[in-house]
Amino acid sequence: MVDRIAPGPRVAEREAAALEAKYGARPEIISWGDYFQTEIASQYFDHTDEEFERICDTVHFDLISSLMIFRGKSAEFRQAVREEALVVSGLDAELRSENEQQAEHLGILLQYFEEMNLDKAELSEEDQAWFEGFVESTRSEAV
């Protein structure tokens, strides 16, 4: 899913070639899909299958959310989100309010949007249906 909606590579061809010239090997993590697979597998390898699936679903949800929140928004809006997230990141994590935690998460979603060029991504009907189902299942669990 990540490779499908993130239209560009995480490591540009020029950068990969420079790394190969310098170190004698190309990086193995080239696409955004490679990146997320490696991050999730290395951080959560000891979780249950159910927890692991939920983590993957959360990444899926966050990427779609990022696209839906930031596509078409002004540079000023994105800058305000970035600044608020930066301020919150300086606060002690245990003392953050719910709004501050949300501001931090919104900053992460903005980072996804910009670094992954999600403004160029297209969501399929399947993506939209999956997203709506995930939101519904999350609401059901909260009750």
Side-chain angles (χ1 to χ4, degrees), residues 87-104:
V87 168
V88 169
S89 71
L91 302 175
D92 188 350
E94 290 82 37
L95 302 177
R96 292 180 192 158
S97 69
E98 186 173 329
N99 284 343
E100 290 166 336
Q101 291 173 19
Q102 290 175 357
E104 178 184 38

Side-chain angles (χ1 to χ4, degrees), residues 25-49:
R26 292 181 67 77
E28 293 182 16
I29 300 172
I30 297 290
S31 74
W32 284 103
D34 297 339
Y35 171 79
F36 278 101
Q37 288 176 41
T38 303
E39 282 292 303
I40 292 169
S42 66
Q43 290 183 28
Y44 305 108
F45 65 91
D46 58 347
H47 286 57
T48 66
D49 288 349

Side-chain angles (χ1 to χ4, degrees), residues 6-78:
R10 182 172 187 281
V11 177
E13 179 56 37
R14 188 176 329 156
E15 185 180 352
L19 290 169
E20 183 176 18
K22 185 174 183 176
Y23 299 108
R26 292 181 67 77
E28 293 182 16
I29 300 172
I30 297 290
S31 74
W32 284 103
D34 297 339
Y35 171 79
F36 278 101
Q37 288 176 41
T38 303
E39 282 292 303
I40 292 169
S42 66
Q43 290 183 28
Y44 305 108
F45 65 91
D46 58 347
H47 286 57
T48 66
D49 288 349
E50 184 178 282
E51 290 169 327
F52 193 81
E53 186 174 330
R54 189 65 166 177
I55 291 162
C56 292
D57 285 347
T58 300
V59 169
H60 190 172
F61 176 81
D62 280 354
L63 294 178
I64 293 173
S65 295
S66 172
L67 196 154
M68 295 172 77
I69 292 167
F70 294 107
R71 177 178 274 163
K73 295 295 191 294
S74 69
E76 292 81 14
F77 173 78
R78 292 192 312 268

